[in-house]
Amino acid sequence: MEIAKNLQNIHKNIQLSCLNHHRDRDSVKLLAVSKTKPVEDIETAYQAGQRAFGENYVQEGVEKIEYFKTKHTDIEWHFIGPLQSNKTRLVAENFDWMQTLDRNKIASRLNEQRPVNKAPLNVLIQINISDESSKSGIQPDEMITLAKFIKNLPHLRLRGLMAIPAATDNIVEQEQAFTAMNQLLIKLKQAFPEQQIDTLSMGMTDDMASAIKCGSTMVRIGTAIFGHRNYD
Ligand SMILES: *Cc1c(COP(=O)(O)O)cnc(C)c1O
């Protein structure tokens, strides 16, 4: 009940942000971040029409994918957490998208391990846009080099960029980071005009409106759909 209502509210907010910033409603996709939440919650969201889900932990994600494999064949699964190289196979074999690609070694392994009977794995390069201390994501000036490397891997398809900017309530700071990401996406598209680069994954529960204002094409929402997470 709650989850369905929450989804409705978020769709309303996305629509409003799109209207305010002269964007087509269909230009922003909603990714439901279901990490730590039980399969029952995912099922509820599915029944309410949600089809794309994001998971941060490999093992937990794979268990959920297994659970839904025969029940619903139209769920799109996104891996959005940090990935160690010894876990790449599980991601390559199970997920549809991998959003946190940040080095050659992971890209090579995902490419080698992607089953040939599956569509290429959609990947996003994660950019460390504001949080210098975080180890996740590459620096903006490393983007083109990594994109060139990915281009030569036939079982990966580079679709765009992803970022988790430093959390802040300051709208100006939020927009600075998101605008910088939008400019990087433009640069990436210009460098690889023949590739289907169409995705800018940014915006979470607390900064979704700023992200949409600045060009996000995929917001990743957890708390506002499923409630607070309990990590115990
Ligand atoms: C947990 C998480 C989210 C969702 O965050 P909320 O604030 O709960 O909406 C989005 N993106 C990533 C990468 C996450 O780890």
Side-chain angles (χ1 to χ4, degrees), residues 146-209:
L146 180 54
K148 281 184 183 154
F149 185 80
I150 296 168
K151 193 182 174 207
N152 291 320
L153 304 175
H155 306 296
L156 302 188
R157 182 175 292 149
L158 180 60
R159 297 292 297 274
L161 304 175
M162 177 270 205
I164 313 170
T168 170
D169 294 337
N170 184 318
I171 302 273
V172 175
E173 284 174 17
Q174 288 176 3
E175 290 182 7
Q176 271 168 358
F178 290 144
T179 301
M181 285 299 299
N182 197 16
Q183 283 161 356
L184 282 173
L185 188 80
I186 291 169
K187 190 172 157 190
L188 187 64
K189 281 182 184 174
Q190 283 169 348
F192 301 93
E194 72 293 347
Q195 293 192 244
Q196 188 195 352
I197 291 168
D198 54 8
T199 303
L200 187 53
S201 170
M202 60 189 197
M204 306 180 11
T205 292
D206 291 331
D207 55 14
M208 186 180 87

Side-chain angles (χ1 to χ4, degrees), residues 21-140:
H21 304 295
H22 313 289
R23 297 189 54 185
D24 189 346
R25 167 61 189 90
D26 295 337
S27 67
V28 182
K29 178 170 173 147
L30 174 60
L31 181 70
V33 177
S34 43
K35 64 182 178 214
T36 79
K37 298 296 178 180
V39 290
E40 290 77 13
D41 287 5
I42 295 175
E43 177 65 23
T44 305
Y46 181 92
Q47 293 303 334
Q50 183 63 31
R51 291 294 180 271
F53 293 88
E55 290 285 337
N56 289 56
Y57 311 103
V58 177
Q59 200 57 46
E60 178 189 341
V62 169
E63 280 169 24
K64 290 171 178 173
I65 293 169
E66 280 296 321
Y67 177 88
F68 285 107
K69 205 171 215 162
T70 53
K71 281 190 174 60
H72 306 306
T73 53
D74 58 349
I75 296 184
E76 189 178 274
W77 294 98
H78 293 238
F79 186 76
I80 61 170
L83 184 59
Q84 296 166 321
S85 59
N86 62 345
K87 301 242 174 82
T88 51
R89 180 175 295 280
L90 284 169
V91 171
E93 290 181 346
N94 290 283
F95 284 83
D96 303 297
W97 288 68
M98 155 49 172
Q99 296 205 7
T100 51
L101 196 51
D102 63 358
R103 53 196 191 274
N104 291 2
K105 184 181 176 188
I106 298 282
S108 292
R109 290 176 66 90
L110 290 170
N111 179 64
E112 281 163 25
Q113 294 164 346
R114 182 67 170 173
V116 288
N117 64 333
K118 290 201 170 200
L121 182 66
N122 294 294
V123 298
L124 302 179
I125 293 176
Q126 184 178 2
I127 305 285
N128 187 347
I129 199 66
S130 60
D131 189 2
E132 304 293 325
S133 62
S134 152
K135 286 195 193 71
S136 303
I138 58 168
Q139 294 303 310

